[in-house]
Amino acid sequence: MGNKSNNLLLGALEMLVLKSLLTEDRHGWGISKRLKQISSGAFTLNVGSLYPALYRLEKKGLVESYAATSEKGREARFYKILPKGKQQLEEHTADWREFSLAVEAVLLSDS
Amino acid sequence: MRHFYKWRTQLKNLLRFNKQHDELAAEIELHIEMSVADLVSNGMDPREARKLVLREFGNVESLKEECQDSWGMRLIDALIRHLRLASRQMLKNKGYTATILITLALGIGINTAIYSVANTVLFKTLPFPEPDQLVKIDEYSDQLGGQSVSYPNFKDWRDRQTSFTSIGLFRGQGYNLVESDRSFRIVGLQSTYDCLQVLGVTPILGRSFTKEDDHPTAERTVILGERFWRNQFGAKRSIIGELINLNGLHHKVIGIWPYDFDFGDVDAWTPFGLVSQDGLLPNRGSRIGTRVLARLKPGMSIERARNEMERIASDLASEYPGSNAGHTARVRYLDDIYFGSSSSTVFTLLGASIFLLLIACSNVASMQLVRSFGRRHEFGLRVSLGANRRQVIGQFLVENLALGLTGGLIGIALAYGVTEWLKSILEGSVLRISEAELDFATLAYALAATLLSSLLFAIAPLRQSLRLSPTDALNEGSRSSETPRGKRWKSTFVIVQFALASTLLIGAGLMIRTTVNLYQSNPGFSTEQKLVFHWSLDGANYDKGVKRLQTTEQARKSLKNIPGVREVGVAFPLPLTGTGWGQYLYVEGHPIPTNSRGRSAEYISINETYFNAMGIRLLSGRLFNEFDTYGKPRVAIVDTKFVEINFPDSDPIGKRIAEGSNPPSDPNGWIQIVGVVEHVEHHSAARESREQVYRPLNQYPVRDLVFVIDPQENAIPIGNEIREVMSQIDHTLPVRGLNRLESLFVGNFARERLIMKLLGSLAALALILAAVGLYGVVSYMVRQQTREFGIRIAIGADRKSIRNLVLSSGAKLAGLGLTIGILVSLGLSRYLSGMLYGVSVFDMASFAAAAVLLGLIGLIACWLPARRATRISPTQALRAD
């Protein structure tokens, strides 16, 4: 199981990024802000790892980036989720649920 | 195809790389700014806010790298960045870079060049099919050594042998090629028809000699060498069947030898049969430059062939004791003879160049060792700042590879230049040298050797330091401590370098002494200012001895009439020209030999003025005069060595000798000794020559002549006048090899001079490299001990004692190296012994000079760092941490 869970965990950030892009296209800072918001501060995102994650997603063809003007009038790079990204997110969500149930079952068992 | 796309993408990425890099930087900057703005709007101090955000971001540089990973750019990018850093490092540390580059270039360049030459000379085979079947057979006697083979003996060998598929005889015979109004000398060779079968070549045009061509009464035919055919006849194909004039006789051209048939670059071959009945050639006892080659039957061993030939020779000796007693046959591989003479020169150089490569390797290694110890600090710092170890090692590798490859490139250029230079100076003294070309396998080998030694010794200490935690590395780097192993390695390198350098120096010293001795050696006559040239009375015009004598005398008088000429002498052969004429002789009153051939001496034909022209002193008796002519009692002048051997206790004047081993049957065969002259070194100053017998030219009118001209003091050059005078006498006879006698003398030890020059240059390079190595190690040691020296000075140590401390540690290394080097030299110098003249292989002066020179160089190399050590200020040293 070790390997799969690792993959899942490594993918967690990417999943969260994809999730944050479902509602609208965002730039990096917007994504980090959104993630803080939806997690209600339950975990602190390492901002440093956000950009590598974005580049990996773009390379895999799950998101695409384009230059646009931000709400504050700054030129910024926006990220947009692609259909392949949405599909991956759904699959990963299912996997994640399965995984977390398994973890829960182990942790809550009375052994 | 897929690979192509992948590469194309990578390439595109590479081109896009900078843009992407900038975009990422902008993106991150924007992120930071917005986060800061956010915090500030919540009331935080802007500077505090920025600090906080940056902390949250972590290492921005490693972040960028991580992104680049996803661009698939990692390797190429890393390489480029490493290279950029490497070139910066190289430029920053110019002295170090230059030293490494020069060392590498010298090691690689010189070794490759010398090996390329050696490869051509030592390891290539003869340019004939199945060269390992080719042998040369000489007649051999204990007194005269290797001899030419007389034609009658050769014919008996040919008839009786069963070991060879073919056996042939040849002799070199220059020709005067006569064209309408001029003539010039060409290289000629006369051979029996089967000699060409032995060599196994086929003409590129026309045909080879047949048995019928090889006969005294056959039509005169000639085969031309391709080079000569191209240069002289413009490669005219219709030359076949045409007649050319050699020595005044028409010869029909029947074939052309291929250019790569390398047999002394002969211009014209003629059948030996045509001349086989001329002069002394039909005599079984005359061995005049006729040599025998044979080809072993397939599967025949040289030992069996030897046994057979020795048996045949011993049969002939009992059948013809008058000419053959004491003579056996000597069979040797042609290959050994052909290349053997050059091999000692080449082996010496090869050995010396390998020494130089080893010095270069250990120099590079010790410098790298020193530097990587010095850079542990820097690398520790890098690791502590977040670089991973692989990156650091990678950086270091790239740096060293870049350095190595640059050095290698310079080395290749150097190797090319040195090869050309070697070719130009070895031309003439080493066979087939013109074929030498840069050997890339060697180049690769030398490059690999130096690179490997550099990398291995650079990486080792680094790995060690990287295994430590960064703080340890930093701490340790600042202290003077160093692993004992590293120290030992460096010391070893310095010792090795000094040992090798001293060996080279001692070798060079011995050769220098040899050459000086040769220059100072006395050949027995004065060489100053004298001119010599060859002139051969070839052709039917000069078949009569009287005509030859008249022409010789006419030439001598005309030459003497040239203004500025003091005296003209004529002789054959002339000392130092490399030609010898050993013959047996009988000395009256001595027992007639039964088993052996008795006594022998070198015969020289001279005219009356020869001794005067050469400056050879008459010790007793008289010189030849105009009455010693043909038909008069035969006379001879002998040298002091002859007297020592044959008349140790009596006056030789008036005594009689005879040619051959026995008393003459005809009373006119006796030769009376009329004078004694000083012995002269006939072959070269380095080789002691035999006892000599001079005969009057007038009684032995030879065809080949050497004129020696002794000009008056401060005479103007008269080369052109000589040519003019001689061409007036007979324009079909060219003046050959007009030269100063002194250059013949010096030319005789060209090989020794050459080895001295090359060994000297190699030793000088080795000396420089060793000094650089010692300097590097000692100055590093001083740097490492800055703190220690500072403390010592602070607590009152004398600065002089600090200097002596440094000097003595350097001297210890140098001294140990020197001692080992001297021991190695003692072992190796016997290989040089064959090349030495007037010097013992244990020559104290050479050893002492090498020791002093190396000691001095070592002292200078240590002096500078030692002086630096004394100037350390204690406060500075303590703060150095």
Side-chain angles (χ1 to χ4, degrees):
Chain A
M1 177 177 133
N3 218 359
K4 195 179 179 190
S5 76
N6 264 341
N7 286 343
L8 280 171
L9 286 169
L10 274 175
L13 178 60
E14 290 171 26
M15 273 169 59
L16 293 174
V17 170
L18 286 176
K19 178 81 183 166
S20 74
L21 291 176
L22 273 182
T23 45
E24 57 175 321
D25 297 354
R26 296 174 200 273
H27 47 63
W29 186 73
I31 294 169
S32 76
K33 196 161 175 164
R34 170 75 183 156
L35 288 181
K36 269 182 202 161
Q37 238 173 45
I38 50 182
S39 71
S40 338
F43 57 81
T44 45
L45 171 73
N46 180 0
V47 191
S49 54
L50 173 63
Y51 287 92
L54 277 169
Y55 276 83
R56 280 196 297 275
L57 287 172
E58 186 169 13
K59 197 181 169 216
K60 286 181 197 159
L62 304 185
V63 301
E64 72 176 10
S65 68
Y66 57 92
T69 313
S70 75
E71 57 271 34
K72 290 191 175 148
R74 295 284 303 263
E75 182 80 4
R77 172 173 293 268
F78 279 76
Y79 294 86
K80 172 192 171 77
I81 190 163
L82 293 175
K84 198 176 160 195
K86 284 185 186 157
Q87 186 197 330
Q88 284 264 315
L89 181 60
E90 275 165 34
E91 281 171 21
H92 273 256
T93 312
D95 280 351
W96 180 259
R97 193 165 291 138
E98 198 180 300
F99 172 69
S100 60
L101 283 175
V103 173
E104 200 176 332
V106 172
L107 289 179
L108 300 182
S109 67
D110 294 332
S111 63
Chain B
M1 216 44 196
R2 267 186 57 196
H3 281 286
F4 171 71
Y5 283 124
K6 204 167 147 194
W7 274 104
R8 208 178 56 172
T9 320
Q10 286 230 340
L11 196 67
K12 266 194 192 156
N13 283 341
L14 187 65
L15 298 175
R16 252 185 12 224
F17 164 66
N18 276 330
K19 198 172 156 241
Q20 225 161 351
H21 200 268
D22 292 346
E23 278 175 10
L24 178 66
E27 212 173 344
I28 290 171
E29 189 47 41
L30 181 70
H31 190 128
I32 292 168
E33 272 177 34
M34 288 174 98
S35 304
V36 170
D38 218 29
L39 290 173
V40 169
S41 69
N42 286 347
M44 196 182 261
D45 172 59
R47 268 171 58 192
E48 281 295 309
R50 191 166 176 91
K51 237 188 231 169
L52 190 73
V53 171
L54 282 179
R55 195 179 311 138
E56 200 182 12
F57 245 94
N59 185 340
V60 175
E61 282 311 304
S62 78
L63 181 67
K64 284 179 185 168
E65 271 168 25
E66 217 177 308
C67 292
Q68 283 154 24
D69 263 352
S70 62
W71 297 338
M73 283 295 313
R74 187 89 182 134
L75 207 67
I76 295 177
D77 164 49
L79 199 65
I80 289 175
R81 271 185 317 126
H82 284 330
L83 276 176
R84 207 178 290 157
L85 248 174
S87 60
R88 216 180 298 154
Q89 277 284 353
M90 277 161 77
L91 288 177
K92 196 174 91 186
N93 225 329
K94 285 197 193 78
Y96 172 81
T97 306
T99 317
I100 286 260
L101 287 184
I102 291 171
T103 307
L104 281 172
L106 286 177
I108 293 168
I110 291 184
N111 205 61
T112 307
I114 289 182
Y115 185 81
S116 304
V117 168
N119 193 23
T120 315
V121 180
L122 295 179
F123 308 123
K124 286 197 177 156
T125 50
L126 293 165
F128 309 116
E130 314 289 341
D132 50 341
Q133 292 176 346
L134 290 174
V135 296
K136 179 168 180 271
I137 315 174
D138 303 321
E139 288 195 39
Y140 186 88
S141 79
D142 288 339
Q143 283 141 327
L144 299 180
Q147 292 274 293
S148 304
V149 181
S150 76
Y151 185 56
N153 279 340
F154 161 72
K155 281 196 292 188
D156 285 331
W157 287 2
R158 176 160 68 185
D159 294 341
R160 300 183 190 187
Q161 64 84 19
T162 58
S163 305
F164 309 106
T165 49
S166 46
I167 173 169
L169 170 139
F170 72 93
R171 69 164 186 175
Q173 177 63 60
Y175 281 115
N176 299 330
L177 178 75
V178 184
E179 292 184 327
S180 51
D181 60 339
R182 65 190 192 114
S183 73
F184 54 94
R185 191 75 171 177
I186 61 173
V187 182
L189 205 102
Q190 299 168 335
S191 79
T192 59
Y193 73 98
D194 32 15
C195 188
L196 298 165
Q197 291 174 2
V198 172
L199 295 172
V201 280
T202 44
I204 53 167
L205 202 63
R207 63 176 180 85
S208 183
F209 296 130
T210 61
K211 199 169 180 176
E212 286 67 43
D213 295 320
D214 190 20
H215 193 267
T217 57
E219 181 188 18
R220 292 182 183 278
T221 49
V222 61
I223 299 178
L224 305 179
E226 183 178 351
R227 189 204 301 262
F228 180 62
W229 172 57
R230 289 190 186 282
N231 293 345
Q232 187 63 29
F233 300 102
K236 184 172 72 173
R237 295 182 76 84
S238 62
I239 189 87
I240 303 294
E242 280 187 17
L243 297 175
I244 63 170
N245 185 336
L246 300 177
N247 288 355
L249 295 170
H250 289 291
H251 288 69
K252 191 169 95 180
V253 179
I254 60 163
I256 309 291
W257 288 130
Y259 174 70
D260 56 1
F261 169 39
D262 182 6
F263 200 79
D265 205 8
V266 174
D267 299 323
W269 292 64
T270 55
F272 183 80
L274 293 172
V275 296
S276 60
Q277 298 310 309
D278 291 6
L280 297 170
L281 286 174
N283 294 359
R284 197 171 283 275
S286 33
R287 305 171 172 95
I288 320 170
T290 39
R291 316 200 178 269
V292 171
L293 294 179
R295 183 175 280 280
L296 290 165
K297 282 181 177 164
M300 169 66 64
S301 76
I302 194 166
E303 286 75 24
R304 276 174 61 196
R306 246 175 219 147
N307 288 339
E308 188 190 47
M309 287 311 298
E310 278 164 15
R311 187 179 50 72
I312 293 173
S314 115
D315 289 351
L316 288 172
S318 40
E319 287 165 43
Y320 307 99
S323 58
N324 281 25
H327 274 232
T328 182
R330 180 172 64 170
V331 184
R332 290 178 300 165
Y333 280 118
L334 188 59
D335 226 347
D336 293 347
I337 304 166
Y338 201 47
F339 295 119
S341 60
S342 316
S343 63
S344 60
T345 307
V346 174
F347 268 124
T348 309
L349 290 182
L350 197 60
S353 77
I354 288 172
F355 273 28
L356 193 73
L357 182 68
L358 287 176
I359 292 177
C361 280
S362 60
N363 203 343
V364 169
S366 71
M367 278 196 285
Q368 288 286 49
L369 204 56
V370 163
R371 196 170 81 122
S372 56
F373 271 112
R375 286 184 70 187
R376 281 191 309 172
H377 197 108
E378 174 198 334
F379 287 118
L381 196 68
R382 285 202 197 181
V383 170
S384 71
L385 288 180
N388 71 41
R389 276 146 214 232
R390 236 183 47 209
Q391 280 175 320
V392 173
I393 297 267
Q395 167 64 32
F396 201 66
L397 270 175
V398 169
E399 247 179 73
N400 284 299
L401 279 174
L403 207 56
L405 291 175
T406 314
L409 277 179
I410 304 174
I412 292 172
L414 190 68
Y416 186 78
V418 173
T419 307
E420 291 305 309
W421 178 68
L422 278 177
K423 274 160 81 168
S424 71
I425 61 168
L426 291 174
E427 188 85 62
S429 60
V430 173
L431 273 165
R432 301 182 70 192
I433 186 73
S434 59
E435 290 168 36
E437 50 188 37
L438 217 53
D439 184 274
F440 279 92
T442 323
L443 200 64
Y445 152 76
L447 187 67
T450 41
L451 272 187
L452 211 65
S453 52
S454 124
L455 285 182
L456 280 182
F457 290 99
I459 300 291
L462 265 193
R463 264 175 55 96
Q464 208 181 357
S465 75
L466 289 174
R467 230 178 275 136
L468 304 167
S469 77
T471 43
D472 281 350
L474 289 177
N475 280 340
E476 220 208 351
S478 65
R479 296 268 157 75
S480 61
S481 66
E482 177 191 335
T483 57
R485 208 204 271 173
K487 217 175 235 167
R488 215 167 38 231
W489 270 115
K490 282 203 303 282
S491 308
T492 310
F493 287 139
V494 170
I495 293 168
V496 165
Q497 283 180 40
F498 266 75
L500 293 169
S502 56
T503 310
L504 281 180
L505 263 181
I506 290 168
L510 289 172
M511 286 317 292
I512 289 170
R513 296 258 298 163
T514 294
T515 313
V516 169
N517 283 344
L518 285 171
Y519 268 107
Q520 288 171 348
S521 64
N522 183 5
F525 49 86
S526 135
T527 57
E528 250 172 274
Q529 289 203 332
K530 294 188 176 64
L531 295 171
V532 293
F533 67 89
H534 287 252
W535 204 53
S536 295
L537 297 165
D538 292 320
N541 261 347
Y542 301 101
D543 279 350
K544 285 210 163 63
V546 179
K547 172 76 175 165
R548 293 206 285 273
L549 287 179
Q550 279 171 357
T551 313
T552 308
E553 183 57 16
Q554 191 192 348
R556 189 191 69 79
K557 279 185 180 148
S558 308
L559 286 170
K560 181 138 191 221
N561 284 336
I562 296 173
V565 172
R566 189 187 68 80
E567 185 60 282
V568 178
V570 191
F572 190 84
L574 190 74
L576 307 177
T577 50
T579 328
W581 204 343
Q583 274 194 29
Y584 294 108
L585 59 89
Y586 175 74
V587 179
E588 193 178 18
H590 286 268
I592 297 167
T594 44
N595 294 328
S596 73
R597 299 297 315 278
R599 290 149 196 270
S600 62
E602 215 153 59
Y603 278 71
I604 303 146
S605 297
I606 58 165
N607 78 335
E608 302 109 73
T609 52
Y610 173 73
F611 289 128
N612 188 12
M614 286 291 277
I616 297 174
R617 252 182 344 132
L618 179 76
L619 298 177
S620 63
R622 66 168 177 92
L623 295 174
F624 295 138
N625 58 37
E626 66 270 33
F627 304 111
D628 300 320
T629 55
Y630 198 70
K632 294 277 164 57
R634 298 165 77 182
V635 289
I637 296 174
V638 296
D639 74 337
T640 44
K641 194 163 186 178
F642 185 93
V643 175
E644 260 168 51
I645 292 170
N646 295 294
F647 303 101
D649 309 314
S650 55
D651 184 6
I653 305 292
K655 297 277 185 338
R656 296 197 299 177
I657 57 173
E659 287 171 16
S661 308
N662 301 302
S665 45
D666 174 5
N668 290 333
W670 285 109
I671 302 168
Q672 189 175 41
I673 296 170
V674 296
V676 176
V677 290
E678 245 169 325
H679 175 74
V680 299
E681 294 303 337
H682 208 268
H683 294 290
S684 79
R687 218 174 82 202
E688 217 170 283
S689 40
R690 314 163 45 79
E691 55 269 37
Q692 291 146 4
V693 174
Y694 294 92
R695 306 186 291 197
L697 201 59
N698 282 342
Q699 295 181 337
Y700 300 86
V702 290
R703 278 179 190 266
D704 282 322
L705 301 169
V706 185
F707 284 81
V708 50
I709 293 159
D710 184 30
Q712 281 155 357
E713 260 172 67
N714 307 318
I716 44 158
I718 49 172
N720 288 334
E721 284 82 349
I722 291 174
R723 286 179 208 280
E724 207 170 295
V725 161
M726 296 310 281
S727 119
Q728 275 166 16
I729 288 167
D730 187 340
H731 76 271
T732 67
L733 303 178
V735 167
R736 287 142 47 208
L738 179 59
N739 207 338
R740 287 162 50 231
L741 187 57
E742 202 173 355
S743 12
L744 284 184
F745 174 62
V746 173
N748 263 311
F749 41 91
R751 185 179 75 140
E752 286 79 4
R753 274 193 313 158
L754 188 72
I755 294 175
M756 177 198 76
K757 245 193 255 170
L758 293 173
L759 215 54
S761 338
L762 287 174
L765 288 175
L767 198 61
I768 294 169
L769 290 183
V772 167
L774 183 67
Y775 171 80
V777 169
V778 173
S779 52
Y780 171 71
M781 195 190 74
V782 168
R783 218 167 47 223
Q784 285 279 297
Q785 286 174 298
T786 300
R787 189 184 154 99
E788 183 197 324
F789 290 147
I791 293 171
R792 281 182 188 232
I793 292 171
I795 59 174
D798 185 4
R799 280 171 197 266
K800 216 168 110 191
S801 73
I802 297 280
R803 190 187 64 207
N804 290 345
L805 189 72
V806 175
L807 282 182
S808 77
S809 58
K812 241 183 261 165
L813 298 181
L816 197 56
L818 191 63
T819 312
I820 296 173
I822 287 175
L823 292 176
V824 171
S825 296
L826 288 177
L828 286 179
S829 54
R830 70 199 151 94
Y831 292 106
L832 266 183
S833 64
M835 299 178 206
L836 300 182
Y837 172 74
V839 186
S840 144
V841 289
F842 307 123
D843 180 48
M844 278 308 292
S846 302
F847 279 74
V852 168
L853 195 57
L854 261 178
L856 217 62
I857 292 285
L859 195 69
I860 294 169
C862 296
W863 187 262
L864 297 171
R867 230 178 39 164
R868 215 174 300 139
T870 61
R871 292 191 179 157
I872 292 167
S873 102
T875 45
Q876 208 184 344
L878 293 175
R879 239 187 286 125
D881 263 7

